[in-house]
Each structure stands twice: as C-alpha cells, then as structure tokens.
Amino acid sequence: MNPEELFLVELTVNGNPLSARVPARRLLSDFLRHDLRLTGTHVGCEHGVCGACTILLDGKPVRGCLIFAVSVSGSNVTTVEGLVNNDGSLGVVQRAFHESHGLQCGFCTPGFITTIHAFLKENPHPTEEEAREAIAGNLCRCTGYQNIIKSVLRAAELIDSGVRDDH
Amino acid sequence: MKPSRFQYVRPASIPEAVVALQRQNSKVLAGGQSLTPLLSMRLAAPEVLVDINGLSELAGIELRGSELWIGAIARHQEVLTHPLVGTHVPLIQQALTYVAHPVIRNRGTSVGSIAHADPAGELTAVAALLGARIHVVGPHGVRDILANDFFVGPLESSLTHGELVTGVSFPVLDSSWGSSCVEVARRHGDYALAGVCALVQIVEGRLTAASIAIFSVAGTPVVIDVLDVCTENEKLNLKVQSLIDPDTDIHATADYRRQLVKTLVAQALTEARSNAESRTS
Ligand SMILES: Cc1cc2nc3c(=O)[nH]c(=O)nc-3n(C[C@H](O)[C@H](O)[C@H](O)COP(=O)(O)OP(=O)(O)OC[C@H]3O[C@@H](n4cnc5c(N)ncnc54)[C@H](O)[C@@H]3O)c2cc1C
Ligand code: FES
Ligand code: FES
C-alpha cells in the first residue's frame, strides 16, 4: 500500500500555536492526545455519546472524537489543560469540582469541565434544573451526578463572588 | 476503533465539490456527527471524503420569497436560535430541541440530518410534513427534490452518487398555522422511540387543515392527513394505527410504540392548536 498522505494541521491550542502532519483520518481527540501530547482530553466511547472528549472549538463545546483534525485546521482549541489560571492555580470550574467532590475516578471530568465552562458563559446563574440539563450529554460511570450538579452551582457561586478565573 | 483510510478533499467552490464527488465511493462530510461514528465503527468506509465545511455559499439562513432557505452547513444550534426560523417556520425549532445535545448541535447540520434520511431524525419528519424542497447539485446540473420523493428508506434517499445537497427550503407558515413536536426517548437527547410532528391551520376559529408526521415507527416518516378524524380520538387512532407498522427492537416492543403513538398524536395535535391560537393572538 502507498504511504498515507499527510496534512499539515495548525491549531492554536490553549493560546499556543501548535502543528503536526497527520493523516486525514486523525480524530481531533487523537490529534490532541497523540500528536500534541495533551492527554487531558479523554476518550471514552469514541462515537459521540459519552462526552469525555469534549473540547472548546473557537469557544464552543464540541466532541473531539467526532471531528477530523484536518477539517478544523486554523481554529482555536481549548482543552481542560487550558482552563487553569495563568499562575497554574485551578480555574473556577476545576476548583468547584475539587471543593464539591465532583469527581471520583476523574475519567469523565475533562469533558464535564469544558462543557460546564462554556455553559456558565452563556448562563452564569443557572437553576438546579438548568444545571442538570447542561450536563445531560455527559456520562459518568462513577455515577457522581449529584456532586457534579453541585459543582456547576458552586462554580456559578464562585464566579459571582469574584474568584479569579483567567478564562 | 479508528476510521479506515480515505482521501480527503476540501473543495474551494461548489463546482469543485461536485467534481470531487464524481470519484468512486465518495461521501460528503458536513458536521460529521452521524458520519464520523459510522467511520470509526467501520460501518462505512468511503474512499473519498469531500469536506464542505469551507464552502461559504452553503452557509446561512435566508427568507427567499415564500420559503425559508437553510444552507447545507448551517449548524443545528444556529438554526435553533435564528429569529427568521422562529418567526416563519417554528416547527423546525420545536423539533430541534429534541435533536441530540447542545454539544452535538454545535457541529451537526440541519441539512446534513435531512440528507442522512434517518427515520428517527426529527428533521426528517419536519421536512416530510411541510413538503420541504431539497436543493441538489450534481454532474448534470441542479435539481430540486420534494421531501416526499427524497426519503426512500432507512438512511436512504433518492440522491444519486455524486450529488450534493446545497440547502433545503421550507414553506413559510403564516400565523394561521400552528405546529408542535413531541416524542418519547429512553434518555434525554437520545433518538426517539416514537415521535410526532403536527401541523394545523385555524381560519376564523375553524380548523381548516390538520396533518401529522410520525417518526421512528417506519423506514421513512409517515405523513397522514387527519383533518377528517382529528376531533374524534377513537377514529383518529384507528386511522393512524392502520398506517403504521412499527418494529420491535432492543429499546421497545412494537406494541409499546403503538401505544406511544396513540398518546403522542393526541398530544401533538392539542399542542399544535394552542400554538396556532397563540400565534394569531
Ligand atoms: C450522541 C448523538 C445523538 C444524536 N441524537 C440525534 C437525535 O436525537 N436526532 C437526530 O435527528 N439526530 C441526532 N444525532 C445526529 C445529528 O443530528 C447529526 O448532526 C445529523 O444527523 C447529521 O448531520 P451532520 O451535519 O453531522 O452530517 P454528517 O455526519 O456529516 O453526514 C451524515 C450523512 O449525510 C450525508 N450528507 C451530509 N450533508 C450532505 C449534503 N449537504 N449533501 C449530500 N450528503 C450529505 C453524509 O455524506 C453522510 O452520509 C445525534 C448524534 C450523536 C453523535
Ligand atoms: S469519546 Fe467522544 S463522546 Fe465519548
Ligand atoms: S468520575 Fe469516574 S467516570 Fe466520572
């Protein structure tokens, strides 16, 4: 078989310009993990249902496993690594998860953090019902949903109280 | 699993896309929210993928005469929040709230959903019920396909190899019309076990049109004119049940789906009527 054609994919990831040459079939989630070595983005089901691979593409949450990296070359991507503050302290949603025990094994957590981060930008004062709705597309096998909902509400509270968040 | 190899083409214009689509075993890549899982599970293995995401001619939503045009790369989320859609064809937005989760809607396209011809797809039912026109370009030029001729079977449309859907036009519904979409799914955001879109027209207090499209109960959406029976629930249900033939699968039995349809049809028609009333007032 002929060698597979490679495409130059250039992204701004968490503020840094990064690039690699990859085959067209490279999923964005794999591009981040394998080619850019950013392993914060997790891969669970690889067909769009679990939400673990959720990243922000030009600010909007999307499934990393349902996009080919080559298709979004030139875009801005934010991963869970990019949601820490510039001084290295936890970002506000990350801090809320820490305080509210929003994670057990942590496998699903990167997808929740990115999803909730984007959700709170749109709706900074969610009700419990809205918080529940916001995370309905993410699965947690440790079934810690109660504390995840608490984490959403806690993050909103932290933002209100003016806690530092660089993103 | 990972997708198998394919050649990737990112055309700079619609004619370029059509040329690329003439290659053997080609497929269009729109939002990828249905196609990528099929590729990753190797249920599909096209040799050529033609990525239309860069074609700005296919972007946007516009009022064109008495129709609302939705371009092939307009994302579900854009359609769901666009004021023209809410004003002129509210049924699209009523249905879209059931389509997947917001994160999927940020990337998936409404036109791609119709092109995919999923019998469980809400927009498939909307297009069939409203008699939408599907705009197609191919090696022999452009043509329009009416929704009723477009949906042929499960995941099967009357598109031929090498054709591209550029957009879909929906007839504008003035305020005498009311609509609704209701469904039951195992989990929030899942495909429906059964669902119903309803469309009614009320002129001077009189019901002058009533039709429904039922989805997830056959290979294509089932459109039924129910004006003659819609005030008598027994007759309505008899008519509807005689025209559907749902399957039993791991999610629900055929009987259960029939039961859902009975309830959902009545509910959808009631909601469509109150929608019409609220639009006229
Ligand atoms: C977890 C999950 C849940 C979902 N739940 C629902 C749901 O409840 N209801 C629902 O309706 N959908 C659901 N979807 C599917 C989603 O709505 C898709 O976005 C949509 O069905 C397909 O649109 P797309 O732009 O992603 O198309 P793609 O995945 O890119 O394409 C799908 C198919 O259509 C063809 N195609 C697409 N656009 C064109 C075009 N312009 N011309 C010719 N052919 C074209 C492609 O070649 C491909 O065969 C779900 C998806 C996921 C991952
Ligand atoms: S890995 Fe992408 S949604 Fe599960
Ligand atoms: S914390 Fe373990 S899967 Fe969610």
Side-chain angles (χ1 to χ4, degrees), chain B residues 228-278:
Chain B
D228 55 335
V229 287
C230 72
T231 52
E232 293 164 89
N233 270 338
E234 283 290 291
K235 278 194 187 165
L236 172 65
N237 189 46
L238 275 177
K239 178 167 186 178
V240 168
Q241 297 292 342
S242 71
L243 294 170
I244 62 170
D245 185 19
D247 279 336
T248 292
D249 61 21
I250 55 166
H251 304 298
T253 62
D255 279 350
Y256 180 57
R257 286 202 160 88
R258 283 189 181 279
Q259 196 59 41
L260 287 179
V261 168
K262 179 181 176 187
T263 312
L264 290 171
V265 165
Q267 189 187 340
L269 284 166
T270 309
E271 284 185 18
R273 290 179 78 143
S274 51
N275 178 248
E277 276 149 23
S278 72

Side-chain angles (χ1 to χ4, degrees), chain B residues 7-173:
Chain B
Q7 290 169 35
Y8 175 80
V9 186
R10 194 176 171 92
S13 67
I14 294 175
E16 251 183 68
V18 173
V19 169
L21 281 170
Q22 301 321 303
R23 288 153 70 176
Q24 225 180 25
N25 203 354
S26 65
K27 259 204 179 301
V28 173
L29 172 69
Q33 304 300 287
S34 294
L35 187 54
T36 316
L38 293 175
L39 297 177
S40 289
M41 292 187 269
R42 301 216 176 178
L43 295 170
E47 283 162 42
V48 182
L49 270 201
V50 181
D51 183 349
I52 60 170
N53 285 287
L55 297 178
S56 54
E57 307 97 297
L58 303 181
I61 296 166
E62 289 167 20
L63 204 55
R64 293 184 175 174
S66 60
E67 290 184 322
L68 183 78
W69 176 87
I70 298 182
I73 58 168
R75 314 284 168 195
H76 289 313
Q77 196 58 26
E78 184 188 349
V79 178
L80 182 58
T81 51
H82 201 289
L84 280 179
V85 183
T87 309
H88 298 292
V89 198
L91 177 57
I92 297 173
Q93 294 184 347
Q94 290 162 340
L96 270 173
T97 59
Y98 291 106
V99 174
H101 305 285
V103 176
I104 309 282
R105 298 201 292 256
N106 278 339
R107 188 76 188 164
T109 67
S110 299
V111 168
S113 181
I114 291 168
H116 193 48
D118 194 323
E122 288 80 359
L123 293 177
T124 315
V126 170
L129 183 62
L130 298 182
R133 284 196 302 143
I134 290 108
H135 306 295
V136 175
V137 53
H140 309 295
V142 297
R143 64 177 181 132
D144 283 353
I145 309 176
L146 280 177
N148 287 340
D149 302 322
F150 187 79
F151 303 117
V152 176
L155 305 185
E156 195 190 342
S157 74
S158 55
L159 279 186
T160 58
H161 176 257
E163 284 188 315
L164 168 73
V165 178
T166 53
V168 175
S169 292
F170 297 84
V172 162
L173 300 171

Side-chain angles (χ1 to χ4, degrees), chain A residues 17-46:
Chain A
L18 297 172
S19 66
R21 295 180 68 81
V22 297
R25 60 176 158 153
R26 182 77 89 245
L27 299 169
L28 180 55
S29 42
D30 287 342
F31 182 75
L32 294 167
R33 291 178 55 84
H34 302 179
D35 299 294
L36 302 185
R37 295 268 154 214
L38 288 165
T39 52
T41 301
H42 288 175
V43 173
C45 66
E46 211 158 56

Side-chain angles (χ1 to χ4, degrees), chain A residues 104-108 140-142:
Chain A
Q104 292 183 46
C105 79
F107 194 86
C108 65
C140 172
R141 277 312 292 271
C142 300

